[in-house]
């Protein structure tokens, strides 16, 4: 896909960016999601490089695109039947200019180096937008936890951390959860780190349990944060969440706490989904039931529909975007909302789409939504609440403190408002009023670029 500058930029600047992008295609073949993430950022940087030629001379864009370090390793483990499996582990320590590498671990069969790089690249700018002094990183494995016993997941996590421990640490690289990595996995990973290193180093991992160094609101933070961001976008348009009909995709950590906060603010959330299909619940999602099915029983959304009774219906293989709504909050995975789905949402009168997941909206879909005047919150801004509270968890660990729920939630709210305002004002400054994609990419890039410039040729 050629680079089409989102903003007016001189042809010679765009030629430099084109050259950089073709280098990425040439040197990293087959990494489609990584190409997509880079492409989106480069389409926003033309006017920045034109205004600040020093950034181009210093090859800042090329340097930001190149990870500082990429680690790949073997993860052998034994299942409950004694069969041996060999998975692949990844950690991409992408950019440490603003602080220790920070970002989640994803356990899903689709994980490969390109996926981890796309997520790590996004994480650099997301973390910069929080203003909390965290660099960007990401990791994971192609291990599939679905259908595995607790004992199998524990053995896998122990094998994974036995290698990863030599690369991470509270001042070096601080992983957390993502798809397939929740409280259970973080517990096993932390236990193995402590055992192998013989250190109580609480700040080496975030998303920990409340008894052993975790932070209030970390479980809720990504979903809550996305709803707070959405509320800010609506506020600029003179609206709020009260009475709005919302479709949410996914049914994991992000989806569940998106629903919780949206309901607290008076919205009516009517869908959830997983890789098997989706549920429409005409009465609104029963959150206690959803938590029981997903968090306690590790079940499927079809189980939710079975237990819920007449108001809920399960649609095998379908997508939530066909259900008419005022607001759509994609909270499952990358590229789950394509151009066709965006056109349906627009036809049904959607006002706002905000990304709880990382890069869930395809580039064509983003354009369709923005061209139709829909408020669009890009993931690197809208879902930054999770990593922001991770940074607050690190602060608490550093001072051996434990802050109350209300305090962390207030801080999260202030951070989300500040990210919103930074994106909004940056877009305005570059003549792209209301374009949060432009605002997030430029504001995130400038912070990282300035830190790198100050630190010399790194
Ligand atoms: P979970 O593992 O808790 O839940 C993931 C949900 O998405 C499940 O319902 C899962 O269904 C569904 N899903 C995953 N992959 C696919 C797929 N290929 N097709 C269809 N459905 C799929 O993960 P999270 O809720 O933590 O993460 C969701 C998204 O949010 C991801 O994009 C993640 O990167 C992003 N994110 C997460 C943060 C966090 O703090 N956890 C922070 C910021 C962003 P199934 O069980 O059928 O696979
Ligand atoms: O994508 C993300 O921001 C996360 N999965 C959370 C990262 C973190 O370090 O809390």
């Amino acid at each position: 896909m050629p680079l089409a500058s989102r903003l007016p930029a001189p042809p010679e600047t765009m030629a430099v960016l084109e050259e950089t992008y073709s280098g990425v295609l040439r040197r990293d073949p087959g990494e489609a999601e990584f190409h997509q993430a880079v492409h989106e950022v480069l389409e926003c940087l033309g006017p920045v490089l034109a205004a600040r030629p020093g950034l181009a001379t210093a090859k800042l864009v090329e340097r930001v695109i190149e990870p500082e370090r990429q680690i790949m390793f073997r993860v052998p483990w034994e299942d409950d039947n004694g069969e041996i499996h060999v998975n692949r582990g990844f950690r991409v320590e992408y950019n440490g200019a603003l602080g220790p590498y920070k970002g989640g671990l994803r356990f899903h069969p689709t994980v490969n180096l390109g996926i981890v790089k796309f997520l790590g690249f996004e994480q650099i700018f997301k973390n910069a937008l929080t203003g909390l002094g965290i660099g960007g990183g990401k990791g994971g494995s192609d291990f599939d936890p679905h259908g595995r016993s607790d004992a199998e997941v524990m053995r896998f996590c122990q094998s994974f951390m036995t290698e990863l421990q030599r690369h991470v640490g509270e001042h070096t690289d601080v992983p957390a959860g993502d798809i397939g990595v929740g409280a259970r996995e973080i517990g096993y990973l932390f236990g193995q780190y402590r055992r192998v290193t013989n250190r109580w180093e609480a700040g080496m991992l975030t998303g920990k349990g409340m008894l052993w160094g975790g932070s209030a609101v970390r479980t809720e933070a990504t979903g809550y944060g996305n709803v707070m961001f959405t509320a800010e976008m609506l506020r600029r348009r003179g609206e709020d969440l009260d009475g709005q009909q919302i479709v949410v995709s996914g049914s994991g950590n992000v989806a569940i706490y998106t629903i919780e906060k949206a309901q607290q603010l008076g919205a009516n959330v009517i869908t959830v989904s997983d890789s098997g299909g989706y549920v429409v619940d005409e009465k609104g999602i029963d959150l206690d039931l959803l938590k029981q099915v997903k968090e306690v029983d590790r079940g499927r959304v079809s189980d939710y529909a079975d237990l819920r009774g007449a108001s809920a219906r399960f649609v095998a293989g379908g997508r939530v975007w066909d259900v008419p709504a005022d607001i759509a909050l994609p909270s499952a995975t990358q590229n789950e909302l394509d151009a066709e789905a965006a056109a349906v949402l627009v036809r049904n009168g959607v006002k706002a789409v905000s990304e709880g997941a990382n890069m869930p909206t395809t580039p064509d879909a983003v354009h369709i939504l923005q061209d139709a005047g829909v408020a669009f919150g890009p993931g690197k801004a809208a879902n930054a609440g999770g990593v922001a509270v991770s940074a607050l968890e690190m602060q608490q660990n550093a001072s051996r403190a434990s802050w109350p729920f209300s305090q962390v939630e207030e801080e999260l709210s202030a951070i989300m408002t500040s990210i919103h305002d930074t994106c909004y004002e940056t877009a305005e400054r570059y003549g792209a009023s209301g374009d949060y994609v432009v605002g997030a990419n430029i504001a995130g890039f400038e912070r990282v670029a300035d830190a790198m410039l100050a630190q010399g040729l790194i």
Side-chain angles (χ1 to χ4, degrees):
M1 210 192 311
L3 280 186
S5 187
R6 275 181 164 262
L7 302 163
E12 55 277 18
T13 308
M14 288 316 295
V16 171
L17 288 170
E18 282 282 0
E19 177 64 28
T20 304
Y21 185 60
S22 32
V24 171
L25 296 180
R26 191 177 63 246
R27 296 172 76 209
D28 305 302
E31 298 180 353
E33 292 84 2
F34 176 58
H35 300 163
Q36 184 182 333
V38 171
H39 192 272
E40 185 206 282
V41 171
L42 295 189
E43 282 195 335
C44 297
L45 295 185
V48 182
L49 295 193
R52 300 180 59 187
L55 295 180
T57 316
K59 296 267 163 65
L60 241 306
V61 179
E62 286 89 331
R63 282 199 266 154
V64 167
I65 289 172
E66 188 68 19
E68 290 183 11
R69 196 171 299 106
Q70 308 183 51
I71 302 149
M72 290 172 65
F73 51 96
R74 180 205 301 154
V75 190
W77 60 282
E78 192 174 345
D79 71 19
D80 289 344
N81 300 319
E83 194 184 329
I84 304 288
H85 299 263
V86 183
N87 284 101
R88 190 170 286 172
F90 302 88
R91 187 72 185 167
V92 173
E93 297 181 335
Y94 219 122
N95 194 302
L98 292 175
Y101 310 110
K102 182 81 195 88
L105 297 171
R106 175 178 292 191
F107 292 171
H108 193 272
T110 55
V111 167
N112 56 39
L113 184 61
I115 295 276
V116 177
K117 280 171 62 185
F118 119 63
L119 290 163
F121 186 69
E122 292 278 291
Q123 200 81 44
I124 302 171
F125 308 107
K126 182 194 304 191
N127 294 3
L129 286 170
T130 69
L132 292 173
I134 37 180
K138 200 82 186 190
S141 174
D142 57 359
F143 171 71
D144 185 358
H146 285 107
R148 290 294 173 191
S149 68
D150 287 352
E152 288 174 323
V153 171
M154 182 180 75
R155 285 197 294 277
F156 174 81
C157 288
Q158 290 182 339
S159 181
F160 184 86
M161 185 52 85
T162 301
E163 171 63 29
L164 188 69
Q165 57 87 21
R166 68 185 88 235
H167 308 290
V168 296
E170 67 173 317
H171 301 296
T172 312
D173 183 357
V174 182
D178 194 81
I179 291 176
V181 178
R184 175 183 59 173
E185 290 74 17
I186 294 293
Y188 297 148
L189 292 164
F190 186 74
Q192 185 70 355
Y193 183 86
R194 191 172 65 73
R195 189 173 169 213
V196 172
T197 61
N198 192 27
R199 283 166 67 84
W200 180 265
E201 194 185 323
M204 61 71 54
L205 203 62
T206 59
K208 299 181 294 296
M210 290 299 292
L211 287 174
W212 39 282
S215 172
V217 197
R218 177 60 189 89
T219 306
E220 295 84 356
T222 310
Y224 276 26
N226 189 25
V227 175
M228 291 165 176
F229 190 91
T230 305
E232 286 301 312
M233 291 199 298
L234 290 175
R235 204 161 64 80
R236 290 276 166 164
R237 298 172 167 225
E239 293 203 57
D240 61 28
L241 280 159
D242 193 30
Q244 308 274 12
Q245 186 104 321
I246 300 187
V247 287
V248 166
S249 64
S251 52
N253 171 267
V254 177
I256 288 172
Y257 294 95
T258 295
I259 297 169
E260 184 161 290
K261 180 52 75 183
Q263 290 180 343
Q264 285 171 11
L265 297 178
N268 184 30
V269 183
I270 52 169
T271 63
V272 283
S273 70
D274 59 26
S275 52
Y278 73 92
V279 168
V280 196
D281 190 333
E282 301 300 344
K283 283 195 188 156
I285 297 295
D286 176 338
L287 197 61
D288 290 340
L289 178 60
L290 183 66
K291 285 182 178 177
Q292 176 66 38
V293 168
K294 298 297 301 190
E295 293 184 334
V296 182
D297 303 339
R298 295 185 182 276
R300 313 294 298 160
V301 295
S302 55
D303 301 327
Y304 169 93
D306 290 344
L307 292 164
R308 175 68 162 148
S311 72
R313 140 179 91 86
F314 175 67
V315 182
R319 48 178 209 195
V320 300
W321 322 122
D322 292 329
V323 179
D326 303 307
I327 295 167
L329 302 175
S331 308
T333 194
Q334 63 274 1
N335 292 329
E336 56 167 317
L337 199 172
D338 61 13
E340 199 195 330
V344 174
L345 286 170
V346 168
R347 215 176 308 131
N348 287 333
V350 77
K351 295 176 209 169
V353 175
S354 195
E355 297 185 322
N358 285 307
M359 209 170 74
T361 319
T362 66
D364 287 351
V366 174
H367 286 295
I368 288 170
L369 294 168
Q370 290 188 319
D371 289 349
V374 175
F376 178 77
K380 59 171 74 74
N383 73 36
V387 78
V389 174
S390 279
L392 301 182
E393 183 171 329
M394 291 162 70
Q395 285 183 25
Q396 291 168 77
N397 294 152
S399 60
R400 297 188 187 278
S402 184
W403 305 340
F405 192 97
S406 56
Q407 179 185 338
V408 182
E409 191 178 15
E410 269 170 39
E411 292 210 24
L412 171 63
S413 174
I415 291 164
M416 295 315 298
T417 303
S418 151
I419 294 173
H420 171 276
D421 293 353
T422 298
C423 296
Y424 191 89
E425 285 153 19
T426 304
E428 283 229 303
R429 189 151 48 86
Y430 281 89
S433 189
D435 187 338
Y436 294 93
V437 175
V438 162
N441 285 327
I442 293 183
F445 174 77
E446 285 193 317
R447 287 183 185 181
V448 180
D450 284 335
M452 288 178 73
L453 269 185
Q455 291 172 26
L457 185 51
I458 51 162

